[in-house]
Amino acid sequence: MDFKKFLTIGIAVGIAANVIDFVVQGNLLADYYARPPFRQDVAVGWMIIGDLVAGLVFAWFYLAVAGSFAPGVPGGATMGFYTGVLVIFPAAIFMHLMFEGFPYFLSWIWIFYGIAWYVCAGAIAGAINKR
């Protein structure tokens, strides 16, 4: 694996994820997170670091499977779509099933948002990894 490409994709996706999450999670959905079952004592710094780590994990996975998809932005976005459905769909539904007070409608918001997040991440990765 090309370490420079891994870092470039990971950092770019991590930065984009922070911007997207600030807008959507930090503003548009903030009212949902201002009450139980959500914690109110999480430091924002951990969220920023979490998005950067998520970007690096995504870059690692993308580079591992990129050969299965078309090159460039279209292939990256397709990979992101498949990854989003694979990861977020079951996880968001299980959140509702496992945690008391977790709203079912929020699970569906997370599903659509998560898939869009992964499509954006894939498009960014594909733009950087043109092959």
Side-chain angles (χ1 to χ4, degrees):
M1 180 180 306
D2 181 346
F3 189 72
K4 183 179 176 185
K5 197 171 278 192
F6 162 74
L7 277 180
T8 304
I9 292 170
I11 291 170
V13 168
I15 290 169
N18 271 291
V19 171
I20 293 167
D21 280 345
F22 173 76
V23 171
V24 176
Q25 305 284 16
N27 289 290
L28 297 176
L29 298 177
D31 288 343
Y32 294 118
Y33 304 134
R35 56 187 174 273
F38 299 101
R39 292 177 51 179
Q40 304 303 308
D41 61 344
V42 178
V44 173
W46 288 114
M47 300 296 193
I48 293 168
I49 291 169
D51 271 345
L52 291 173
V53 170
L56 291 169
V57 171
F58 183 86
W60 167 76
F61 183 68
Y62 170 81
L63 290 171
V65 301
S68 300
F69 298 92
V73 173
T78 301
M79 178 272 186
F81 175 78
Y82 289 147
T83 304
V85 172
L86 173 71
V87 171
I88 199 66
F89 179 74
I93 296 299
F94 285 138
M95 295 296 277
H96 167 70
L97 295 174
M98 292 172 44
F99 298 105
E100 188 174 330
F102 192 94
Y104 182 66
F105 68 89
L106 188 56
S107 292
W108 283 103
I109 291 172
W110 279 16
I111 289 167
F112 288 110
Y113 170 70
I115 292 170
W117 189 103
Y118 280 102
V119 168
C120 290
I124 291 166
I128 294 169
N129 186 41
K130 297 177 185 169
R131 284 187 264 156

